[in-house]
Amino acid sequence: MGTFELLAQEAGARRGRLHLAHGAVETPAFMPVGTQGTVKALTPDEVRQVGAQVLLGNTYHLALRPGAARIAALGGLHRFMGWDGGILTDSGGFQVFSLDHLVRVTDEGATFRSHLDGSEQRFTPESVMTIQRQLGSDIAMAFDQPVGWPATDAVARAAMDRTHAWARRCLESEPAPGQLRFGIVQGGFDAALRRESAQALAALPFDGFGIGGLSVGEPKALTYALLSAQAAAMPVDRPRYLMGVGTPADFVEAIARGVDLFDCVLPTRIARNGSILTRGGRLNLRNRQFLDDAGPPEESCDCYTCARFTRAYLRHLFMAGEILGHRLASIHNLRMLVRLVDQIRDAIGTGRFSALIGALRQEWAMAPLP
Amino acid sequence: MGTFELLAQEAGARRGRLHLAHGAVETPAFMPVGTQGTVKALTPDEVRQVGAQVLLGNTYHLALRPGAARIAALGGLHRFMGWDGGILTDSGGFQVFSLDHLVRVTDEGATFRSHLDGSEQRFTPESVMTIQRQLGSDIAMAFDQPVGWPATDAVARAAMDRTHAWARRCLESEPAPGQLRFGIVQGGFDAALRRESAQALAALPFDGFGIGGLSVGEPKALTYALLSAQAAAMPVDRPRYLMGVGTPADFVEAIARGVDLFDCVLPTRIARNGSILTRGGRLNLRNRQFLDDAGPPEESCDCYTCARFTRAYLRHLFMAGEILGHRLASIHNLRMLVRLVDQIRDAIGTGRFSALIGALRQEWAMAPLP
């Protein structure tokens, strides 16, 4: 494949470098979510400033609005949104199969109703790859069928088999120049099935693999157990992306289980409601205790927000319903996660990783899970 | 007074320099509105970047939330909101007398109910000056009583007389260090009364004057006629601030009638709905015609938004309800107005002002009004 360098390993964790058309990405890497062609409330310059290397774009949302052909005509997603770093586009599988208005799914593809106007739409492995070629993302994800929690073995196996068949069809589509293609492993909530899916996809010439269908309602201990089982069955020479699983503690546990990439809407979503992530836990700045707090949102943080504004000011912005509050909290939350992952990455392969992760688990009062 | 230098005059317009505790302001100057301690959707750095010199803060809103004593304890409004340029705070007169829940007004002051929690509140000339001292603004406005359109002579005169009495009481309050105090002229919708108010306040040792109670429903031609009458009766050696009157055309006409300062919520308010100001008029970027428009919002603009993004992208952001659209349009709209005023200021006193204003009137298909 040649696009991924594995630089170091320590206690299950990996440090690497993934070469994309828009630059190299040091892994493990946290990818902020830019669903509709913008990381919510932020400019691309601010996203760059917090240290993000790759963003997530959303095939389902962008295909429906403004349309992938339109974005192609406007120069592709990078140019459209003014972001010159890496972009990974998901395949829309998760969105389509989460919709209230999924009309039907066959081996051919999925028919659903747009959440925007109720119009009938159809995604197939081929159409989803075409959309991602038009968007011009650095990494295109294969079309997959996740299952909800709980799922019977039969349902999980059928969806997995279909996901594998779709994966093969996705590989027959022409990618955009320099575009990598990742398969998505599924397998429901059974470790053996998860391993089987990992092995089946490993036989295909994907540039990397998504781990899909986790953190959809199953107990956290099971998520981690499945992740461990599945990662162990995945090829070491290709990057692994845990899809949409998302607290800081989840990231740490995923890294400890050999994950290289992850995304999460949490930092920007909770920012809207006035919550910030800190190393000591989550703070809701709307709380009265911050009314007169002249300190920065997080003492040790180097972000724009913490350098310039007080907790009292952020609280005021949230109570007054001012957009600037959402912006400033988003900047902080993204920077907090990027720094956390930077610190972990630096530790991997230096003999410091185990001590660091132990300290983090203790800090968050987390027992080490399987 | 020494705080205002009149540098040039041409055809009724004035170019000057107003010295504030937070730096000198070149006039005429447009002041963006930061009602609740933030120019909506923007950071102070962005406000600085569009070229704004002075912001407006709102006594009524900040006194109710988060409270002026709290802001004082946090180091004053400049530090609270992270803005080191000039701040003018209005007195709250306009807000209080516009409230649905004005309880009563006497010579002593006004009692009203907070729009936030219905609690009974009281503003007097003294309390309003105390609040502004606590906020630490560069310019504090006297407490005034505007009247709505239409108003009988008796009503207009009574409110004017009370405004003058309150103005004298405001001057007895101690300002913050370096804080200037502006009186507010009223007089309803009668030119003679407006002149009388200007002359009465001119006799008091204010550092400048606000022109209040205009653009509240009266015909535009009357606004301009009253403005002309009133400005002619105002002292030439002190700055004049037209309060809350607001389209680009209004600014141009106000400058032509000797106004030095003006504010307006329009650029940030219309930005939220997807409208941008251009030299050629207002554009609603939600319009379908911009779906595939790869051009910048305004061709000749030097703002961040126009340098980096297309009309098609901004349209997408507005249709998708993304905050970034509001931000980018606000940046453009503020920059458009600042540049327009910069251009006019540069022309005053060089013999080019009359030609420029003629061209602008023609561009906007405006007849020159009295």
Side-chain angles (χ1 to χ4, degrees), chain A residues 36-38 40-43 45-46 65-66 70 80 82 291-292 304 308 313 316 319-320 322-323 326-327, chain B residues 36-38 40-41 43 45-46 65-66 70 80 82 291-292 304 308 313 316 319-320 322-323 326-327:
Chain A
Q36 303 193 101
T38 159
K40 284 201 185 298
L42 302 187
T43 63
D45 300 275
E46 288 165 337
R65 182 175 58 194
R70 172 161 294 121
F80 184 61
L291 253 175
D292 299 292
Y304 173 73
R308 294 288 303 271
Y313 182 61
H316 167 66
M319 297 312 287
E322 289 285 354
I323 283 176
H326 187 171
R327 290 183 56 186
Chain B
Q36 303 193 103
T38 160
K40 284 202 186 297
T43 63
D45 301 275
E46 288 165 338
R65 182 177 60 196
R70 172 161 293 122
F80 184 61
L291 253 174
D292 300 291
Y304 173 74
R308 293 288 302 272
Y313 183 60
H316 167 67
M319 298 311 288
E322 290 284 355
I323 284 176
H326 186 172
R327 288 184 56 186

Side-chain angles (χ1 to χ4, degrees), chain B residues 3-332:
Chain B
T3 57
F4 182 67
E5 303 173 64
L6 184 58
L7 302 173
Q9 296 188 76
E10 184 179 344
R14 300 143 54 93
R15 185 162 61 77
R17 186 171 297 133
L18 176 61
H19 295 278
L20 301 181
H22 289 82
V25 177
E26 304 300 316
T27 63
F30 157 65
M31 305 185 289
V33 177
T35 306
Q36 303 193 103
T38 160
V39 174
K40 284 202 186 297
L42 302 187
T43 63
D45 301 275
E46 288 165 338
V47 175
R48 178 63 80 184
Q49 227 161 17
V50 301
Q53 308 175 77
V54 197
L55 300 186
L56 213 74
N58 193 291
T59 287
Y60 168 82
H61 285 280
L62 293 171
L64 293 186
R65 182 177 60 196
R70 172 161 293 122
I71 290 177
L74 289 162
L77 184 56
H78 291 85
R79 188 153 159 201
F80 184 61
M81 66 184 290
W83 169 255
D84 62 2
I87 298 178
L88 179 152
T89 41
D90 67 8
S91 63
F94 179 77
Q95 281 74 28
V96 166
F97 288 98
S98 308
L99 277 180
D100 283 340
H101 301 294
L102 180 64
V103 178
R104 65 183 177 279
V105 53
T106 65
D107 287 343
E108 180 55 25
T111 305
F112 57 95
R113 292 198 182 279
S114 160
H115 74 287
L116 296 177
D117 61 8
S119 62
E120 193 168 286
Q121 304 280 338
R122 186 164 177 70
F123 275 179
T124 65
E126 291 78 13
S127 76
V128 155
M129 296 312 276
T130 297
I131 292 166
Q132 295 180 85
R133 183 173 66 239
Q134 290 172 318
L135 295 175
S137 53
D138 297 86
I139 302 173
M141 301 301 296
F143 195 48
D144 65 323
Q145 180 176 1
V147 295
W149 163 264
T152 63
D153 281 1
V155 164
R157 175 167 288 282
M160 181 189 82
D161 287 343
R162 182 172 277 150
T163 294
H164 296 170
W166 285 357
R168 284 185 287 270
R169 281 163 59 191
C170 285
L171 284 171
E172 285 162 23
S173 290
E174 187 70 25
Q179 187 176 47
L180 307 185
R181 291 174 300 188
F182 281 21
I184 300 179
V185 296
Q186 293 286 352
F189 309 97
D190 178 77
L193 219 55
R194 285 266 158 194
R195 271 192 294 268
E196 188 180 330
S197 184
Q199 284 156 359
L201 285 191
L204 301 176
F206 280 111
D207 301 293
F209 301 96
I211 301 170
L214 288 182
S215 208
V216 294
E218 79 281 7
K220 191 71 91 180
L222 180 56
T223 309
Y224 293 155
L226 293 170
L227 193 51
S228 297
Q230 192 152 44
M234 295 175 84
V236 296
D237 62 344
R238 285 177 275 177
R240 303 149 179 186
Y241 157 37
L242 177 61
M243 304 179 75
V245 175
T247 64
D250 288 335
F251 294 170
V252 170
E253 295 304 327
I255 292 170
R257 285 161 179 79
V259 165
D260 307 299
L261 299 166
F262 32 84
D263 71 283
C264 186
V265 297
L266 181 119
T268 44
R269 181 171 289 166
I270 68 172
R272 180 172 39 197
N273 302 317
S275 287
I276 60 164
L277 297 168
T278 75
R279 280 292 287 268
R282 214 184 282 193
L283 293 183
N284 186 339
L285 292 180
R286 300 172 68 99
N287 197 302
R288 280 192 71 82
Q289 77 184 94
F290 303 117
L291 253 174
D292 300 291
D293 191 332
E298 184 172 19
E299 200 62 57
S300 62
C301 183
D302 65 357
C303 81
Y304 173 74
T305 304
C306 290
R308 293 288 302 272
F309 303 98
T310 62
R311 289 172 168 185
Y313 183 60
L314 264 71
R315 180 184 194 274
H316 167 67
L317 293 177
F318 284 111
M319 298 311 288
E322 290 284 355
I323 284 176
L324 185 57
H326 186 172
R327 288 184 56 186
L328 295 178
S330 293
I331 288 172
H332 169 78

Side-chain angles (χ1 to χ4, degrees), chain A residues 74-295:
Chain A
L74 289 162
L77 184 55
H78 290 85
R79 189 153 159 200
F80 184 61
M81 67 185 288
W83 170 253
D84 62 2
I87 298 178
L88 178 152
T89 41
D90 68 9
S91 64
F94 179 76
Q95 281 74 29
V96 165
F97 288 98
S98 308
L99 277 180
D100 284 341
H101 301 294
L102 179 64
V103 177
R104 63 182 179 280
V105 53
T106 65
D107 287 343
E108 180 55 26
T111 304
F112 57 95
R113 292 200 182 278
S114 160
H115 74 287
L116 296 178
D117 61 7
S119 63
E120 194 168 286
Q121 304 281 336
R122 186 165 177 70
F123 275 179
T124 65
E126 291 78 13
S127 75
V128 156
M129 297 312 277
T130 297
I131 291 167
Q132 294 180 87
R133 184 174 65 240
Q134 290 173 317
L135 296 176
S137 54
D138 297 86
I139 303 172
M141 301 301 297
F143 195 48
D144 64 324
Q145 182 177 1
V147 294
W149 164 264
T152 64
D153 280 2
V155 164
R157 175 168 290 281
M160 182 189 80
D161 287 342
R162 181 172 277 151
T163 294
H164 297 171
W166 285 357
R168 283 184 288 269
R169 282 163 58 191
C170 285
L171 284 171
E172 285 161 23
S173 291
E174 187 70 26
Q179 188 176 47
L180 306 185
R181 291 174 299 188
F182 282 21
I184 300 180
V185 295
Q186 292 288 352
F189 309 96
D190 177 78
L193 218 56
R194 285 266 158 194
R195 272 192 294 266
E196 188 181 328
S197 185
Q199 284 156 359
L201 286 190
L204 300 177
F206 281 111
D207 301 292
F209 301 95
I211 301 170
L214 289 182
S215 208
V216 294
E218 79 281 7
K220 190 72 90 181
L222 180 56
T223 309
Y224 293 155
L226 292 170
L227 193 51
S228 296
Q230 193 153 42
M234 295 176 85
V236 296
D237 62 344
R238 284 177 275 178
R240 304 149 177 186
Y241 157 37
L242 177 60
M243 303 179 75
V245 176
T247 63
D250 288 336
F251 294 171
V252 169
E253 295 303 327
I255 292 170
R257 285 161 178 81
V259 166
D260 307 301
L261 299 166
F262 32 84
D263 71 283
C264 185
V265 297
L266 181 119
T268 43
R269 181 172 290 166
I270 67 172
R272 181 172 36 198
N273 302 318
S275 287
I276 61 163
L277 298 167
T278 76
R279 280 292 287 269
R282 214 183 282 192
L283 292 183
N284 187 338
L285 292 179
R286 300 173 68 99
N287 196 301
R288 279 191 70 82
Q289 77 184 95
F290 303 117
L291 253 175
D292 299 292
D293 192 332

